[in-house]
Amino acid sequence: MTDPLSAERAAAVAQIAALTREFDQVVDASRQSNADDEHDPEGATIAFERQQVAALLDSARRRLADVEAALERRAAGGYGVCETCGRPIAPERLAARPAARTCIDCAR
Ligand SMILES: [Zn+2]
């Protein structure tokens, strides 16, 4: 059986790699078209795309940070405990989000 946290980390790393490539492509496209101008319709589209990819990249990095934190908690014996209230996180929640830092009540 695959370890859910290791699988989640691999998925996050792959997502970051894919988004980094995409970001580089958008940056290249803006250089090649020389349309990096907000008043140019194409330039505005590229600027928007770059923002979108940058936002996705940020959330992918947070996802990886959550997984790393969960792996550390597991190594320290505190995995599956809510960081906010200290109560156990429901198994169903951990199954859906192996890197969850908080229980469902605290996440609300
Ligand atoms: Zn809690």
Side-chain angles (χ1 to χ4, degrees), residues 82 84-87 102-103 106:
C82 174
T84 305
C85 69
R87 282 186 297 211
T102 57
C103 71
C106 294

Side-chain angles (χ1 to χ4, degrees), residues 14-26 53 57 61:
Q15 192 183 24
I16 289 169
L19 286 169
T20 302
R21 273 195 304 274
E22 204 179 322
F23 186 79
D24 289 346
Q25 279 165 12
V26 174
V53 177
L57 203 46
R61 290 199 177 111

